[in-house]
Amino acid sequence: MSTIATTTDAAAVRALFEANSRAWGDTEAFAGTFTEDADYVTFFGGRMTGRHAIAEGHRGLFEGVLKGSRLYAEIEDLAFPAPGIALVHSRGAVLKGKRTRPSARALSVQTYVMTRGADGRWLIRVFQNTRHRPRVEAFSNWLAHRFGPRGK
């Protein structure tokens, strides 16, 4: 965590992260953790722009295939690149049934940009969700090492 942020900011950002996870399944509460002009990118590349679109994009899921599911989310890194801006990297997945931990295949890498509004409230401005593929990552790292500037 950079020195730009206060301990209070870090606690507020972590609380927002937790509130977003707890709100999973409740369309209005979930969308309420995002700014009015938020940008949301799904793991398959779909994009929702604005709180209303995020709500409508999740409503059918929460009432259908994801009904009763829960969100697993764990912060890996938290930084404050500028005052009032937080950058969060996390791992997350949707849990169904009695699962308490995601399978490796279901895990995603997530990036959040959170902003503090004029009222002091933190909300999610940007969310990017990318499905984690360990074998692809390992192969990509091998290629970079093998054929990159140091591999020659």
Side-chain angles (χ1 to χ4, degrees):
M1 182 170 60
S2 72
T3 56
I4 294 172
T6 66
T7 304
T8 303
D9 288 330
V13 165
R14 288 181 185 281
L16 171 59
F17 183 85
E18 293 299 323
N20 176 260
S21 296
R22 281 191 314 276
W24 184 258
D26 178 334
T27 303
E28 298 309 317
F30 183 73
T33 62
F34 292 86
T35 62
E36 287 292 336
D37 60 346
D39 216 343
Y40 188 111
V41 180
T42 68
F43 73 89
F44 58 82
R47 184 174 175 208
M48 295 172 237
T49 304
R51 182 184 292 156
H52 179 74
I54 292 167
E56 292 310 305
H58 285 83
R59 187 177 314 283
L61 295 171
F62 291 160
E63 293 172 2
V65 68
L66 296 179
K67 187 173 186 168
S69 66
R70 295 156 333 280
L71 202 57
Y72 167 86
E74 187 174 271
I75 293 177
E76 289 192 329
D77 187 53
L78 168 59
F80 292 86
I85 299 174
L87 176 62
V88 177
H89 288 101
S90 69
R91 298 283 177 159
V94 173
L95 300 175
K96 294 182 180 179
K98 295 181 181 184
R99 287 188 86 78
T100 57
R101 303 267 313 167
S103 67
R105 183 165 172 73
L107 204 57
S108 291
V109 176
Q110 301 161 332
T111 303
Y112 296 77
V113 175
M114 300 178 180
T115 58
R116 185 179 57 225
D119 62 357
R121 184 175 175 218
W122 285 88
L123 291 170
I124 301 164
R125 173 60 181 85
V126 176
F127 175 76
Q128 164 74 46
N129 190 17
T130 304
R131 189 55 53 101
H132 184 239
R133 295 290 182 238
R135 288 184 180 150
V136 173
E137 180 182 27
F139 181 65
S140 179
N141 289 340
W142 177 83
L143 284 173
H145 178 74
R146 174 76 169 89
F147 297 106
R150 296 180 205 193
K152 295 181 179 181

